Amino acid sequence: MSGPTSSAPPIGSARYAINQAIFELTRRPDARNVLADKANFFAAYPLGPAERQALLGPEWKRLLELGVLPNLLYRYYALHGFAPESFAAAVAAAS
């Protein structure tokens, strides 16, 4: 008999890396300034081409498909200066 299995991704997974990158960006006091060169910021994370493209787009729906946690996606969305009430429509739109 084995122990309980976890649905959490392994720490080295792409899903973990993209969530970590968004989390760390949105917690920075200078986060809005970092957006001006977000490609450089995200270069420090082990992201694949799909994750990097979705972050840089930004492609809101695709980010969810890649496993970004909805609360982190909302924080990343708000960081871009978009109105909170437009979040649902942005996520529902085709990437």
Side-chain angles (χ1 to χ4, degrees), residues 2 4 11-14 20 23-24 29 32 37 39 46 49-50 62 64 66-68 76 87 90-91:
S2 63
I11 288 181
S13 77
Q20 179 185 28
F23 176 78
E24 291 179 2
R32 288 204 183 223
D37 190 15
R62 183 69 178 133
L64 279 178
L66 291 168
V68 172
Y76 188 51
F87 179 69
V91 170

Side-chain angles (χ1 to χ4, degrees), residues 28-94:
R28 291 177 59 121
D30 64 342
R32 288 204 183 223
N33 295 334
V34 173
L35 282 180
D37 190 15
K38 60 186 169 184
N40 187 47
F41 177 83
F42 291 129
Y45 295 87
L47 302 167
E51 290 83 10
R52 198 168 308 283
Q53 178 181 345
L55 283 166
L56 297 178
E59 300 171 7
W60 309 116
K61 185 175 181 178
R62 183 69 178 133
L63 287 166
L64 279 178
E65 292 167 354
L66 291 168
V68 172
L69 299 171
N71 63 316
L72 290 179
L73 184 61
Y74 178 79
R75 289 171 61 176
Y76 188 51
Y77 183 82
L79 182 62
H80 282 81
F82 297 117
E85 56 273 7
S86 65
F87 179 69
V91 170

